[in-house]
Amino acid sequence: MCGIVGYIGKREIKSFLIEGLKELEYRGYDSAGIAIIENESMHVFKAVGKIKNLEEKAKDFKTKEFGIGIGHTRWATHGKPTELNAHPHLGEFSYVVHNGIIENYKELKKELENKGYKFISQTDTETIVHLFEENFKHKKDPFKAFKDTISKLKGAYAILLISKASPNTIFFAKNGSPLIIGKNSKNEIFFASSDAPLIGYADEVSYLDDGVFGYADKEKIKAFKDSQEINLEFKPLTMEKEFAQKGGFRFFMEKEIYEQSRVVSETIMGRAIDGKIVFEELEKNFFEGIENIKICACGTSYHAGLSSSYLFERISKIPTSVEIASEFRYKKPLLNKNTLFIVISQSGETADTLEALKMAKNAGLKTLAICNVDNSSIVRIADKTILTRAGIEKGVASTKAFATQMMVLWMLSLYLAQIKGFDISKEIDVLLKVPKVLIVENSLHEKIKRLSKRYLHGHGFFYIGRDIFYPLALEGALKLKEISYLHAEGYPAGEMKHGPIALADPELFTIALMPKNLLYDKIKSNVEELSARDSTILAISPIEFEIADDFIKIKEQNHYMLEYFEMMLIIQLLAMEIAIRLGNDVDMPRNLAKSVTVE
Ligand code: F6R
């Protein structure tokens, strides 16, 4: 997830910007840059990799007087992590930094190219600075030019722009990506995408709302919404850095669960347009000759893969098999060239998944990676990659990475159906509702917190579901065991009577995933069988279920995938609340590592 900082004042600007970017390192990045205007001269430094590379490049530069500056850490989404793609992006006399995704950048870029503008990066961001300069040509007023620029942008953004046309001013805009303005009694003004860089500098901060834009210079901050000037509300700033990095949440895992709505919007952005799925990263003929799909992954990513196999068969009508990468490697698999080989990985570095990918490549299969980290080993080797855009995931237990993987896989199943000429417009309408479903409501979280106290013991948990809710049950069980250290299994509900039901007693907790829109009657009778044997039942469903000991009601929906995403949220929160009650560090569970680079 990219990070932004900005500064107006007399302090040594380079140091503030670089220290600020270091505070944002926890968000993950693959390149960084700063741009400064002092005495009407512009200075820019960019580097790929760690911030120390940027520090090295800028080591001989220091500001001495009043000036303004902007800085950025970039997490690649459009174009590779290179110096040209790193922010700030330059026009002729202006620089911009941007978090988020400009959905309509292609149209804007085309218009600007037709007017003679040359683009040197592959990013969506560069469009903003050229558009600003084009508008400035006509309006001659930098703020009017900025305002017109913002009005043309579709998508999510937090933007800071500086220009020689107004060398003491930072222009800002916020929509969908966070942006904070800070100030202090020394007339300094600060910008950042989270609190952490501002601690120790700003006395008070204003968290900008969506749709707010404006400008700041040494005398004033002017903010607007819907063309009306507004007063920004400033609050005192918390002083704890770690608390600030976690955005006020108790754990990174909790923050990442809450981020899911936003990151899933970013996953969709620019990829679901006019009732069609668009994957810029795939050429049309990539799927030519493909008759079936094989998916390979580990852990949570494997559960996303298994879930998607139901979608590839049901929606795209393509036979799909899924294998755990460590099993696949040594079974001497038979591989055919008409198979598309998909690997799924948050980190892009998981050793078993990487080796499975190499095997498929060596066997001449077309390979596709669904991955969260650009330039990772898996991305470098796969023929094609779709990035999931979850931003860095710090909690060891994967949450938002899973949500974004599922969204990419669902979209891919629709994309393949679209190639075959099936009408997918209704499914796209449903898919666009997912970000809303993923907003964590306080009442839901409080209920799960309360319920969790009843599930701290027992001799085991069975998460059960049918169809695509079976892999979700596997994921629920994995979440619980990895952070609570309680024994949990995921099981296909219809399979319980073939053995596991022998374990049923009041100390066996059954977490039943009971969607209304998919096989409700089937799962209902499976749960009744368990209840009749005295298992304690926690049912998750939109339909009240009398025999459940505990019940979490989800919203009435008309599509099982909306129920899937809401239940995903619930099983994540449940695992987390149980683990917190047991006193565990949910971000760093014992014996586990975030990236498993050994077999
Ligand atoms: C569980 C978890 C792991 C990973 C697995 C694969 O919460 O995070 O099971 O899913 O180690 O990792 P990636 O996706 O990085 O290949």
Side-chain angles (χ1 to χ4, degrees):
M1 207 52 28
C2 309
I4 282 185
V5 288
Y7 177 77
I8 301 175
K10 289 189 183 146
R11 187 181 293 269
E12 204 289 288
I13 302 176
K14 176 197 77 180
S15 309
F16 170 78
L17 295 177
I18 287 185
E19 288 314 308
L21 292 179
K22 283 186 188 163
E23 293 298 336
L24 296 174
E25 279 190 305
Y26 73 95
R27 297 162 75 92
Y29 65 102
D30 34 49
S31 56
I34 55 173
I36 292 169
I37 305 183
E38 185 192 25
N39 280 333
E40 308 208 359
S41 322
M42 296 227 256
H43 309 268
V44 66
F45 305 92
K46 298 194 206 185
V48 172
K50 293 285 162 208
I51 289 174
K52 67 173 179 347
N53 303 344
L54 177 65
E55 243 174 331
E56 182 56 31
K57 282 201 161 178
K59 70 175 187 297
D60 298 327
F61 175 80
K62 264 192 170 57
T63 58
K64 296 183 192 71
E65 295 169 34
F66 171 87
I68 63 173
I70 55 178
H72 190 268
T73 47
R74 172 170 188 259
W75 175 275
T77 55
H78 285 77
K80 294 275 161 210
T82 60
E83 216 170 291
L84 277 183
N85 286 336
H87 302 212
H89 286 286
L90 171 68
E92 262 179 58
F93 50 90
S94 320
Y95 276 102
V96 71
V97 293
H98 159 229
N99 288 354
I101 293 164
I102 304 301
E103 269 192 284
N104 59 336
Y105 84 98
K106 277 196 166 168
E107 294 104 271
L108 296 172
K109 184 171 173 177
K110 212 182 230 163
E111 282 170 27
L112 289 160
E113 279 174 337
N114 289 341
K115 287 182 178 144
Y117 286 87
K118 295 262 173 302
F119 283 72
I120 55 167
S121 78
Q122 299 158 295
T123 64
D124 50 339
T125 303
E126 196 185 341
T127 320
I128 304 170
V129 70
H130 294 310
L131 186 57
F132 168 79
E133 294 190 349
E134 169 65 13
N135 289 337
F136 183 69
K137 255 196 220 160
H138 304 288
K139 299 270 160 163
K140 311 278 185 251
D141 173 327
F143 181 57
K144 281 190 186 144
F146 183 71
K147 193 174 149 193
D148 280 8
T149 305
I150 297 307
S151 70
K152 292 270 167 21
L153 304 181
K154 287 196 190 133
Y157 48 80
I159 293 171
L160 298 183
L161 185 143
I162 59 175
S163 174
K164 274 187 163 181
S166 183
N168 296 335
T169 308
I170 293 184
F171 299 95
F172 60 86
K174 189 264 186 226
N175 194 43
S177 296
L179 187 61
I180 304 169
I181 304 186
K183 58 182 186 180
N184 64 16
S185 54
K186 294 184 203 145
N187 278 339
E188 291 176 295
I189 295 174
F190 308 88
F191 294 87
S193 41
S194 81
D195 286 348
L198 307 184
I199 293 174
Y201 296 99
D203 301 334
E204 34 178 29
V205 289
S206 176
Y207 300 85
L208 299 188
D209 287 334
D210 283 343
V212 172
F213 64 96
Y215 62 93
D217 56 29
K218 65 177 155 192
E219 271 118 40
K220 58 192 170 307
I221 303 170
K222 290 271 184 196
F224 301 82
K225 192 170 179 179
D226 303 325
S227 291
Q228 300 292 324
E229 190 168 348
I230 55 164
N231 280 327
L232 293 176
E233 193 193 326
F234 280 84
K235 298 181 187 156
L237 180 63
T238 158
M239 282 317 200
E240 242 191 86
K241 285 210 176 183
E242 203 184 73
F243 185 75
Q245 287 193 343
K246 289 182 187 155
F249 292 99
R250 296 164 293 172
F251 291 95
F252 281 110
M253 181 183 178
E254 186 176 32
K255 174 170 174 277
E256 287 160 6
I257 291 173
Y258 273 72
E259 274 172 5
Q260 291 182 121
S261 169
R262 181 172 54 78
V263 293
V264 164
S265 307
E266 290 195 6
T267 307
I268 301 171
M269 215 166 270
R271 290 170 170 166
I273 300 171
D274 298 333
K276 291 240 161 352
I277 298 289
V278 181
F279 281 118
E280 266 177 32
E281 43 283 83
L282 305 176
E283 281 106 37
K284 276 214 176 86
N285 62 0
F286 183 65
F287 297 99
E288 256 167 37
I290 293 300
E291 284 169 18
N292 55 64
I293 294 174
K294 187 175 277 300
I295 300 176
C296 237
C298 303
T300 289
S301 299
Y302 167 74
H303 297 153
L306 199 56
S307 297
S308 71
S309 66
Y310 292 83
L311 302 175
F312 285 122
E313 298 217 337
R314 190 149 50 226
I315 301 174
S316 346
K317 311 277 181 234
I318 300 182
T320 304
S321 59
V322 192
E323 303 209 33
I324 290 179
S326 55
E327 285 298 308
F328 173 83
R329 282 178 68 180
Y330 297 104
K331 69 186 270 199
K332 300 206 168 46
L334 296 176
L335 297 172
N336 293 316
K337 295 207 170 133
N338 59 3
T339 302
L340 170 67
F341 196 82
I342 302 182
V343 286
I344 308 169
S345 175
Q346 188 285 126
S347 60
E349 302 297 344
T350 302
D352 286 319
T353 312
L354 183 60
E355 284 310 310
L357 171 63
K358 286 182 188 160
M359 282 167 65
K361 236 192 137 170
N362 290 339
L365 271 62
K366 279 191 186 163
T367 57
L368 171 65
I370 313 282
C371 191
N372 194 33
V373 183
D374 200 2
N375 231 24
S376 57
S377 305
I378 284 177
V379 169
R380 288 200 305 268
I381 289 176
D383 296 326
K384 292 284 163 200
T385 297
I386 304 179
L387 292 176
T388 48
R389 304 177 179 166
I392 196 169
E393 192 177 56
K394 285 207 104 183
V396 164
S398 192
T399 53
K400 62 176 180 167
F402 178 74
T404 54
Q405 287 168 348
M406 274 315 297
M407 183 46 84
V408 165
L409 288 159
W410 185 13
M411 287 198 289
L412 186 61
S413 72
L414 294 171
Y415 184 77
L416 293 173
Q418 178 177 290
I419 292 177
K420 288 187 167 177
F422 302 143
D423 178 11
I424 56 160
S425 53
K426 287 210 178 75
E427 288 270 321
I428 293 184
D429 290 346
V430 178
L431 178 151
L432 294 172
K433 294 184 182 151
V434 173
K436 187 150 179 254
V437 167
L438 289 177
I439 295 170
V440 184
E441 282 172 14
N442 192 37
S443 56
L444 174 73
H445 196 163
E446 284 307 314
K447 168 150 193 160
I448 293 172
K449 255 186 211 166
R450 270 198 321 278
L451 270 184
S452 63
K453 63 176 174 289
R454 305 227 272 269
Y455 294 92
L456 307 176
H457 60 292
H459 60 78
F461 287 73
F462 268 91
Y463 283 69
I464 59 168
R466 297 189 72 127
D467 198 276
I468 193 170
F469 292 85
Y470 156 54
L472 186 62
L474 289 174
E475 176 58 8
L478 178 63
K479 283 292 85 81
L480 184 70
K481 64 188 148 202
E482 67 184 321
I483 56 176
S484 73
Y485 320 139
L486 295 168
H487 180 243
E489 276 188 67
Y491 232 79
E495 190 65 11
M496 291 298 284
K497 56 180 153 316
H498 299 287
I501 204 165
L503 290 165
D505 70 15
E507 300 290 282
L508 179 81
F509 300 135
T510 299
I511 315 292
L513 307 182
M514 304 176 71
K516 182 183 133 198
N517 292 291
L518 198 65
L519 300 173
Y520 180 78
D521 291 336
K522 300 282 171 207
I523 177 102
K524 183 165 172 265
S525 46
N526 299 143
V527 181
E528 279 162 358
E529 286 153 14
L530 279 152
S531 168
R533 274 112 191 139
D534 256 351
S535 170
T536 298
I537 312 283
L538 165 56
I540 308 174
S541 178
I543 303 175
E544 299 282 346
F545 188 47
E546 266 182 16
I547 59 167
D549 298 275
D550 283 314
F551 181 66
I552 300 176
K553 191 170 168 57
I554 64 163
K555 293 193 187 70
E556 284 280 343
Q557 305 284 6
N558 56 8
H559 196 290
Y560 64 91
M561 284 307 287
L562 298 178
E563 297 178 305
Y564 180 98
F565 278 99
E566 191 172 348
M567 286 190 195
M568 176 203 77
L569 192 65
I570 290 170
I571 56 170
Q572 293 167 344
L573 289 168
L574 181 67
M576 186 186 75
E577 290 305 335
I578 291 175
I580 292 174
R581 276 194 194 268
L582 291 169
N584 301 342
D585 179 348
V586 301
D587 285 339
M588 270 186 259
R590 70 186 184 200
N591 308 338
L592 296 178
K594 185 68 190 158
S595 184
V596 186
T597 50
V598 290
E599 277 203 59

